[in-house]
Amino acid sequence: MKTFAPFLRQSATAAALLAVSAVSAGAFTACQVTDTGGIDDNSFNQTAWKGVEDAQAELGVTGRFLESQAETDYEANINSLLGGACDVIITVGFLLGDATKTAAEQNPDQKFSIVDFSYDPALPNVLGQVYATDEAAFLAGYLAAGMTQTGALGVFGGINIPPVTIFMDGFHHGVSYYNSQKGTAVTVLGWDPITREGLFTNNFDSLDDGRAFAQNLYDEGADIVLPVAGPVGLGSAALADELGTDKLKIIGVDADLYFTDPAKKHVYLTSITKRMDATVLQVIKAVTDGTFEGGILTGTLANGGVDLAPFHDMEGDVPDALKAELAAIRQGIIDGSIDVSP
């Protein structure tokens, strides 16, 4: 299993070597197929595409993308990129797993990478990018439990698939850990990690659903809601903006929504970030320098692949004692003394 290191400032020598690589990569093309939601979804498609944009800036490669409007577009979009025009094809999302596998097996000389999916056994020409988002979500759950005024928190997902439910699991376990440490009884509405049942919009694009699901959770008493549904969560943020953050706060996912949803940035307590841009960039670098191989690339708290975003406008609202507890828990997760999936 591979891991990736956080970005560090390049030394003069390293920068020179990078410039040489960029020259040799001039004819290199990285192609991406999005999931539904679009390239500018303020979430996982956009974050993954940023990795290609970073590769264009750092390595001098060319980037292309095709947007999937529906699940029926996956196979057609991938097939349209075959034939040698793409040095690597990056597919974004768990739901592209089957289509990517079929194309990879039929085209063994084409290099692929898929975000939020991996294969067992591994395919020699596919590098899966996966993320231990339950680690960061555990911190978010502990934070939310420490910030709630009603004693109830809400969570809902887009579709009941592992890359979504891993957020919900980690969040739920973080709340449970808070309760065990504090003797409290903060509840989580919308997900049961034992029965694997909960609230799902069954899409990743309806802002109306995001508003409606958040409204229902708010009506049931939740004053902090975690939407794990890509752009759907923007509808939840719109509701929080109307109600006021004294009544409802939102926790974002994938990207730091404070920056990607600037019109509603003040409603976000934090975001559970998934550095798909960093892993996509690393994959492209591996192809350009000849070190690419199939397998799994995992982002964790330890290597910066997942994290909690800053509190931004709510920095002053989070007590110093809670911040200190979060720092200690973070270290415990990294060193293995705290289990995020009991």
Side-chain angles (χ1 to χ4, degrees):
M1 179 178 296
K2 300 179 180 179
T3 59
F4 67 91
F7 289 116
L8 301 175
R9 185 176 298 276
Q10 301 286 340
S11 67
T13 301
L17 290 173
L18 183 60
V20 173
S21 297
V23 173
S24 63
F28 185 99
T29 301
C31 301
Q32 181 169 303
V33 176
T34 77
D35 200 345
T36 58
I39 199 72
D40 55 354
D41 63 355
N42 296 310
S43 188
F44 59 99
N45 287 317
Q46 184 170 327
T47 305
W49 177 245
K50 182 180 180 297
V52 178
E53 293 179 315
D54 289 344
Q56 292 182 94
E58 293 189 28
L59 306 176
V61 306
T62 298
R64 298 173 52 199
F65 68 83
L66 291 176
E67 293 182 293
S68 302
Q69 303 301 320
E71 292 184 24
T72 51
D73 294 336
Y74 298 157
E75 183 176 351
N77 279 344
I78 294 172
N79 288 341
S80 70
L81 294 174
L82 296 170
C86 301
D87 293 275
V88 61
I89 296 174
I90 300 165
T91 57
V92 185
F94 180 90
L95 296 177
L96 281 89
D98 289 343
T100 303
K101 182 175 186 289
T102 298
E105 290 178 337
Q106 293 176 352
N107 299 271
D109 293 331
Q110 173 67 60
K111 295 178 176 63
F112 290 86
S113 184
I114 181 168
V115 175
D116 268 346
F117 200 90
S118 62
Y119 301 97
D120 185 15
L123 300 177
N125 59 330
V126 185
L127 180 56
Q129 304 174 45
V130 298
Y131 309 86
T133 40
D134 51 346
E135 294 182 352
F138 187 97
L139 292 173
Y142 192 95
L143 166 69
M147 292 293 292
T148 180
Q149 299 298 309
T150 64
L153 307 169
V155 60
F156 68 89
I159 298 176
N160 192 341
I161 54 177
V164 170
T165 58
I166 190 174
F167 282 91
M168 301 165 82
D169 285 340
F171 186 77
H172 200 289
H173 294 322
V175 174
S176 297
Y177 186 75
Y178 182 91
N179 287 334
S180 69
Q181 296 296 302
K182 303 291 186 178
T184 50
V186 177
T187 59
V188 179
L189 308 172
W191 179 241
D192 187 326
I194 297 175
T195 65
R196 315 305 293 169
E197 295 178 352
L199 298 177
F200 295 92
T201 60
N202 292 315
N203 70 82
F204 289 110
D205 49 35
S206 173
L207 272 64
D208 289 341
D209 284 348
R211 172 187 288 270
F213 275 61
Q215 180 72 63
N216 290 338
L217 289 165
Y218 171 75
D219 290 344
E220 292 183 39
D223 60 349
I224 300 174
V225 169
L226 168 65
V228 191
V232 173
L234 302 180
S236 304
L239 175 66
D241 181 48
E242 293 178 10
L243 293 174
T245 55
D246 57 325
K247 294 182 178 180
L248 180 63
K249 298 178 178 65
I250 303 297
I251 295 176
V253 297
D254 296 332
D256 185 344
L257 274 292
Y258 184 86
F259 295 113
T260 59
D261 186 21
K264 306 293 187 298
K265 62 182 183 181
H266 54 282
V267 309
Y268 294 101
L269 174 59
T270 186
S271 294
I272 303 165
T273 60
K274 186 162 61 172
R275 291 292 311 280
M276 292 165 286
D277 55 335
T279 53
V280 166
L281 176 61
Q282 184 173 349
V283 167
I284 295 172
K285 285 181 175 178
V287 178
T288 61
D289 66 20
T291 61
F292 176 94
E293 59 183 38
I296 302 174
L297 181 63
T298 304
T300 65
L301 275 180
N303 61 33
V306 300
D307 213 338
L308 269 194
F311 305 130
H312 297 299
D313 292 350
M314 298 192 193
E315 179 70 31
D317 298 333
V318 181
D320 289 342
L322 181 54
K323 292 175 184 175
E325 290 168 18
L326 288 169
I329 293 168
R330 176 194 182 89
Q331 185 55 46
I333 294 172
I334 291 173
D335 66 27
S337 60
I338 294 178
D339 185 358
V340 301
S341 54

